[in-house]
Structures are given as structure tokens and as C-alpha cells.
Amino acid sequence: RPCRYFHMSLAFSLREQALSVLCEADADRKAALARAVDAAAPADAARPLAEPAGIPGRPARPALVAHVTLKQRSLKTREGHAALLHALAHIEFMAIYLAWDIVYRFRGLPEDFYRDWLRIADEEAQHFEMLSVHLLTLNCEYGDLPAHKGLWTHAEDTAEDILARLAVVPRCMEARGLDVTPAMIE
């Protein structure tokens, strides 16, 4: 592994803890690490950290595919219900990554900005954990089905620009998900 595994403690900055979460490839451990943060740690590390190549810590599963290749399934079937919940779990998993990537990647912002993203990462990890547990009741686990790669692509595309990241990912990608909200509520 290219990344050092940090233990969450005051000895490490939020940025160093973020790198630990980002480097974790196992989805369940990534969610657990995201929730175990030492929020009292300082946001910026005094020393520079080596930049991992590409998106670190991506699990081998699910297979990431273009969204147009994903099969549409009826939500009236158990398989369709599992597919919807799997897609939601993937979105929550990516939200963990994106929140921690903001803490890691974008330096020099106000402390409260980072603290807000820690809260978001914790909430997204809770959502992922709940969906993962519920998927098991449908004889499915996170990674069993393919997932779209849109969020991974947008994370890479906005790696150099915090304004683009904040505009494209939450505002655009989450807004696109609103068209499925009635089916999710049902």
C-alpha cells in the first residue's frame, strides 16, 4: 500500500487522518475510520504529505461502469429494491471519500470549514453503514452489483479546484438524484 495507516489521535492532524481514511480500500473499514476521527486535531499538517497517485483506497468491488450501462430494474421486485439500495450505498460510500478528500486536498481554509466536512463524513459513514446492513437482509452486500463511476470521475476532475468540487459534486450530482426521490420514498 502506498499510504501509511494512521491511528486517530491528537498526534495527527485532520489532514493526516484524512489521508488514512482515503487510503483504506475496505469499504466497511473506511466507514469505521471516517467515524473514528479525532475532531480536536488541528486541520493542517505542519509538514507536507506525499500525494497519493489517483484515487487511493478504492475497493476492488463494485465494478465501476458508465451509468448508461447499468440495468434498470423494477422497484417492485426484491432484486430491484436491492439494486436501488446498492446504488444509494455507493453514493454514500463516495460521499465519505469526497468529504475526506476535501479535508485532505484543499489546504488553508477556515477551521470551521473542515469541521463541517468532518460532520458530513460522519453522517455519510452512518448512512453507508445502515444501507450496508439493510442490503444484507436482501441477500446482497455492497460490491455485489456494478456502480456508476460518475462521482469518481468528478472527484478526479475537480482535484485542483475547491470551487469546482463544491459546484459539480454536491450541487450537480446530488441534484440529478432528485428525479429518483419519489421512488426512494416509496
Side-chain angles (χ1 to χ4, degrees):
R1 284 165 57 134
C3 299
R4 194 170 134 217
Y5 192 90
F6 294 105
H7 296 283
M8 304 303 185
S9 74
L10 277 175
F12 296 106
S13 72
L14 290 180
R15 191 161 183 259
E16 290 168 315
Q17 292 178 74
L19 183 59
S20 178
V21 175
L22 293 171
C23 289
E24 178 56 59
D26 180 87
D28 293 327
R29 284 195 306 261
K30 186 182 290 280
L33 272 176
R35 303 210 52 221
V37 65
D38 177 3
D44 266 344
R47 62 187 182 281
L49 298 175
E51 177 75 20
I55 296 177
R58 192 185 97 58
R61 297 178 33 221
L64 297 183
V65 298
H67 74 281
V68 295
T69 65
L70 293 173
K71 280 197 298 190
Q72 292 292 325
R73 296 181 172 131
S74 170
L75 295 178
K76 297 182 191 303
T77 68
R78 187 174 185 87
E79 293 79 20
H81 189 183
L84 174 64
L85 291 177
H86 189 276
L88 292 172
H90 179 66
I91 290 166
E92 299 299 338
F93 178 76
M94 278 305 308
I96 297 167
Y97 171 81
L98 290 166
W100 279 103
D101 188 61
I102 284 175
V103 172
Y104 170 76
R105 183 169 308 286
F106 301 107
R107 298 182 72 183
L109 297 166
E111 288 279 328
D112 285 345
F113 178 83
Y114 298 110
R115 305 284 172 229
D116 285 345
W117 284 102
L118 294 180
R119 183 183 48 76
I120 291 166
D122 181 61
E123 290 171 2
E124 305 298 7
Q126 288 178 49
H127 301 162
F128 174 78
E129 290 170 342
M130 288 187 294
L131 287 164
S132 293
V133 167
H134 189 60
L135 274 172
L136 296 174
T137 69
L138 299 169
N139 296 323
C140 183
E141 67 180 68
Y142 180 67
D144 284 353
L145 302 171
H148 71 79
K149 60 182 175 181
L151 291 170
W152 289 109
T153 302
H154 288 307
E156 290 177 324
D157 291 346
T158 61
E160 303 300 321
D161 186 344
I162 185 67
L163 292 178
R165 171 70 61 88
L166 294 174
V168 171
V169 176
R171 296 210 177 248
C172 177
M173 293 304 291
E174 288 184 19
R176 286 183 184 168
L178 292 177
D179 62 340
V180 298
T181 299
M184 287 189 292
I185 291 170
E186 185 180 313

